[in-house]
Amino acid sequence: MSLDEYDAARTDLEPADGEIETAELVVTDDVLVKTFALGPGAELEAHDHPESTNVFHVLEGTVTVVQDEQHEEITAPGVVRHDRGVVHGARNETDETVVFTASLCPLPS
């Protein structure tokens, strides 16, 4: 048995062009950690979490992170914090799959 939650989940994530696949790595009463794999051309629509901070950990590739009106390419390894209520999203403008986790804490009640 491995303590690594990412390794087993990552092997099942192979999104096609324009698609997003996800896996929940950790779900507790106070935190959610989810993996996002974005195929080339895929986009995670901009959204917000009014009651939670959301942190992206870029693990593979280069993802364009959107935060409010700002857009920035973040190459692995990278970390981006989205404070409560900040509109954020991500898109893959490359020819390779990009993978990042999103940690949400605290979970909304």
Side-chain angles (χ1 to χ4, degrees):
M1 179 172 122
S2 173
L3 295 176
D4 183 6
E5 302 285 346
Y6 175 72
D7 189 48
R10 175 62 182 102
T11 59
D12 293 333
L13 300 176
E14 293 297 330
D17 290 2
E19 292 187 356
I20 299 174
E21 292 188 0
T22 66
E24 291 181 345
L25 301 178
V26 177
V27 181
T28 69
D29 290 341
D30 55 353
V31 68
L32 168 66
V33 180
K34 192 171 182 176
T35 300
F36 291 83
L38 280 63
E43 181 173 4
L44 176 63
E45 293 292 327
H47 60 284
D48 71 339
H49 304 282
E51 299 177 22
S52 305
T53 298
N54 189 252
V55 179
F56 289 175
H57 294 86
V58 182
L59 302 173
E60 298 178 33
T62 299
V63 64
T64 300
V65 176
V66 177
Q67 190 177 88
D68 286 331
E69 299 300 319
Q70 204 172 347
H71 302 216
E72 185 175 340
E73 287 186 353
I74 307 294
T75 300
V79 176
V80 179
R81 183 185 78 225
H82 307 290
D83 291 324
R84 294 174 187 198
V86 171
V87 175
H88 60 280
R91 62 179 178 261
N92 182 357
E93 297 175 343
T94 74
D95 294 331
E96 303 293 327
T97 297
V98 297
V99 180
F100 62 93
T101 62
S103 301
L104 189 66
C105 168
L107 291 180
S109 38

